Amino acid sequence: DAGVIQSPRHEVTEMGQEVTLRCKPISGHNSLFWYRQTMMRGLELLIYFNNNVPIDDSGMPEDRFSAKMPNASFSTLKIQPSEPRDSAVYFCASSFREGQPQHFGDGTRLSIL
Amino acid sequence: AQKITQTQPGMFVQEKEAVTLDCTYDTSDPSYGLFWYKQPSSGEMIFLIYQGSYDQQNATEGRYSLNFQKARKSANLVISASQLGDSAMYFCAMREGSRGGNQFYFGTGTSLTVIP
């Protein structure tokens, strides 16, 4: 069975550029989560969706961050404009229902120069 | 107060021995869930085990078991018969709240090294 698929696996870009991270959740999963992991702050929940609807975006750090889920099989996390402090590993996860175990993608390692 | 506390930044265990990774949590919500994840050096996050607040028995999944002590608010992970492949970071996590209003928290992790 296909797990959560994230792309790209690695992204290196210059400060000020727009960055778009993509996620395909596990088929049939109704909840989707975006996390950011850094050495300093650990794993932080940025936003999560239930049935494609954003439920809690209180973890989104700034207006430069936005996330969408146009359908049940696709979500994006966009950073515009990007800054060096956005460098981190970004994980997408999905669960069958909210509150149930989340299954993570392999992450996108983002470096902003 | 921290929602999830993992007090052991690093642990060592001899291969084939059992090891316990500590996790305490803080919530006043009667409905919550506790999770453990493994993150090897390759970076992926692997779900290991789940315990619901209303579950009467401790969760077990193969060599993993969760020692759930509700009154103490602890959810320690026990790995039996450690293997070299168990060397990784281990994260305890909690979900509190109800559908449409859950909050999710992760601990800072424990680095486990299995010694041959």
Side-chain angles (χ1 to χ4, degrees), chain A residues 87-99:
Chain A
S87 298
V89 179
Y90 290 81
F91 286 102
C92 176
S94 70
S95 64
F96 179 64
R97 272 201 293 262
E98 185 180 350

Side-chain angles (χ1 to χ4, degrees), chain B residues 57-78:
Chain B
Q57 297 200 344
N58 286 346
T60 60
E61 288 286 347
R63 294 186 299 110
Y64 304 109
S65 60
L66 200 151
N67 185 359
F68 182 43
Q69 298 191 38
K70 201 168 183 176
R72 294 186 176 183
K73 293 189 176 178
S74 75
N76 299 339
L77 177 70
V78 180

Side-chain angles (χ1 to χ4, degrees), chain A:
Chain A
D1 289 342
V4 175
I5 299 172
Q6 289 186 248
S7 64
R9 288 296 310 275
H10 303 272
E11 174 95 11
V12 181
T13 192
E14 290 188 344
M15 175 176 146
Q17 297 296 309
E18 177 179 293
V19 172
T20 300
L21 310 182
R22 296 173 176 80
C23 176
K24 177 178 167 54
I26 293 172
S27 177
H29 281 194
N30 294 327
S31 297
L32 182 140
F33 306 80
W34 282 102
Y35 289 89
R36 177 172 68 176
Q37 186 178 34
T38 61
M39 288 294 292
M40 290 295 293
R41 301 174 69 93
L43 202 61
E44 304 171 278
L45 177 65
L46 300 177
I47 185 171
Y48 80 92
F49 297 82
N50 272 354
N51 297 312
N52 314 340
V53 176
I55 301 299
D56 183 359
D57 65 354
S58 59
M60 296 285 263
E62 299 169 33
D63 291 345
R64 298 183 296 106
F65 285 69
S66 62
K68 293 182 180 179
M69 191 164 185
N71 58 61
S73 58
F74 184 65
S75 176
T76 60
L77 177 68
K78 190 171 291 188
I79 309 172
Q80 167 63 23
S82 57
E83 296 182 4
R85 60 194 167 118
D86 302 331
S87 298
V89 179
Y90 290 81
F91 286 102
C92 176
S94 70
S95 64
F96 179 64
R97 272 201 293 262
E98 185 180 350
Q100 294 195 339
Q102 298 170 23
H103 297 269
F104 283 69
D106 289 340
T108 294
R109 185 172 296 275
L110 177 64
S111 297
I112 308 297
L113 307 177

Side-chain angles (χ1 to χ4, degrees), chain B residues 21-112:
Chain B
L21 307 184
D22 295 342
C23 173
T24 57
Y25 59 93
D26 180 33
T27 182
S28 57
D29 199 313
S31 173
Y32 56 92
L34 298 155
F35 310 81
W36 277 92
Y37 289 87
K38 172 185 178 182
Q39 187 174 39
S41 57
S42 49
E44 70 268 30
M45 293 284 285
I46 303 166
F47 165 70
L48 295 178
I49 196 166
Y50 167 77
Q51 180 87 41
S53 58
Y54 296 117
D55 294 343
Q56 295 295 314
Q57 297 200 344
N58 286 346
T60 60
E61 288 286 347
R63 294 186 299 110
Y64 304 109
S65 60
L66 200 151
N67 185 359
F68 182 43
Q69 298 191 38
K70 201 168 183 176
R72 294 186 176 183
K73 293 189 176 178
S74 75
N76 299 339
L77 177 70
V78 180
I79 306 175
S80 63
S82 298
Q83 302 172 356
L84 296 178
D86 295 334
S87 294
M89 283 289 289
Y90 288 81
F91 292 94
C92 180
M94 177 176 69
R95 182 272 309 163
E96 66 175 3
S98 56
R99 187 176 298 179
N102 278 291
Q103 299 291 318
F104 300 90
Y105 307 94
F106 277 76
T108 51
T110 294
S111 175
L112 176 66

